[in-house]
Amino acid sequence: MHVTIRKTLCALVTFAAGFSLVVAPARAGILDGLGAVGAGSSSSAPTNFPELMQTHRGLNFGGAGVPYAYGAVGAHSASILNPGNQVDQLIAQVQGGNITLAIITIGDNDYINVAGNIASGALAGPTLAAYQAQVAANIAAAVNAVRAEGAYVVLGGFADILHSPAAAGILADPIAAERLATALADGRTLVSDFALANGVPFIDFYALQKEIYENGSAQIGGVDLILGGYDADPHYFFEDPYHAGILVRGAITNLYIEAINEGYGTSIPLLSDLEILALGGLENEYVAETFAQTYAYPNYVSIPEPTTLVLSGMGLAMIAIRSLRRTRRRR
């Protein structure tokens, strides 16, 4: 009787452990090489997150010039999948053993391209739903293609473009603003749900930007960010109608680091507020560490829970353990 129980216990423990490895594979080598695709990871900008993660935290995006950052200005979820484009380029490096962790962030331009039509009501109903589903499907295809080659993935969602300077006219019209806000929220949910259902850490840039603009204030190192308009002055949230300023890019970098740490068990230090201010030459204005006190980075990073199958396997193993203990007590 005891031999049967022991065999059953071993089988169940092996079952649970095997599925745990599927959901949470070994951490060794995860930071050996990092790559990025999307619109906001272009290697042509020295202060985008791959460059900051490499120069300030020693993470390997391929060395000088961050060659494994394949992002391109204007990219959208379909263009990154074109033959020979960003996803294919990244996969080639994964297959060559150069990239072990891929960061995929895309979707802003998909919604920027149709924001006016959504706001006017010209793109609505089933047609809008189909467009949103296609964007989410494109993003899923990119993630799945990279993971199929054995790389880990962090997925960054798109931003709240309603609160970008480029959408100021839409924001000023309550009906138009509501249409775009609803579409962005629904599109974000599609991508987030995919990530959580497939075991991929997800960064909710939409939620963070929306909260900052609804609160009407944000500080980094005690220095107020200017939320209205845009300017090359580093105090501004936006440096042009579409792109975040240098201080905000520092905070964005921390969100990527937070997602890697939480999702894959690493311990990369976040950039301090003082380091972020120094990116814009504002270190002399530093007062204290303030940004994370109001907008804590973990609040905008979603990490999937173990799958039901794994939990079931673990539960069966615990039942077998309790059964074995009861049998021993009856002896």
Side-chain angles (χ1 to χ4, degrees), residues 38-40 75-78 80 104-114 131 135-136 139 155-159 161 184 191:
H76 50 78
S77 67
I80 65 171
I104 298 175
T105 307
I106 199 72
D108 280 14
N109 290 325
D110 291 87
Y111 282 92
I112 288 172
N113 291 342
V114 297
Y131 181 84
V135 172
I139 293 171
L155 178 60
F158 49 82
I161 63 169
L184 291 172
V191 177

Side-chain angles (χ1 to χ4, degrees), residues 251-273:
I252 287 171
T253 298
N254 275 346
L255 285 166
Y256 286 113
I257 294 174
E258 184 73 33
I260 295 170
N261 285 343
E262 289 190 39
Y264 298 114
T266 56
S267 55
I268 309 160
L270 300 182
L271 300 178
S272 68
D273 281 10

Side-chain angles (χ1 to χ4, degrees), residues 5 70 87 96 98 105 116 118 146 162 190 202 223 234 272 276 300:
I5 292 174
Y70 295 106
V87 172
N98 297 318
T105 307
I118 294 173
V146 173
L162 176 61
L190 288 174
F202 176 76
V223 176
S272 68
I276 293 174
Y300 309 99

Side-chain angles (χ1 to χ4, degrees), residues 7 31 59 64 102 118 125 154 182 198 201 243 255 288 307 314 325:
K7 287 182 177 178
L31 299 178
L59 300 179
I118 294 173
V154 165
T182 300
N198 288 274
H243 299 107
L255 285 166
T307 65
M314 294 172 66
R325 287 173 177 170

Side-chain angles (χ1 to χ4, degrees), residues 18-43:
F19 278 104
S20 295
L21 288 175
V22 171
V23 175
R27 279 17 177 190
I30 190 169
L31 299 178
D32 286 354
L34 283 72
V37 300
S41 61
S42 172
S43 60

Side-chain angles (χ1 to χ4, degrees), residues 9 31 39 71 89 94 153 162 167 192 215 224 250 269 293 299-300 305:
L9 175 59
L31 299 178
Q89 293 171 46
V94 173
V153 173
L162 176 61
S192 173
N215 288 345
D224 289 318
Q293 292 180 3
N299 292 345
Y300 309 99
E305 297 293 334

Side-chain angles (χ1 to χ4, degrees), residues 87-88 90-97 99-100 142-153:
V87 172
D88 280 355
L90 188 145
I91 285 175
Q93 296 295 343
V94 173
Q95 293 172 335
I99 291 177
T100 50
V143 171
N144 290 336
V146 173
R147 294 181 86 198
E149 298 299 330
Y152 301 87
V153 173

Side-chain angles (χ1 to χ4, degrees), residues 3 11 21 54 57 94-95 119 126 133 138 142 159 164 171 176 180 185 189 250 259 277-278 312-313 315:
V3 172
L21 288 175
Q54 181 167 275
R57 289 298 178 266
V94 173
Q95 293 172 335
N138 291 342
S164 66
L171 186 62
L180 182 55
T189 298
L277 288 179
S312 297

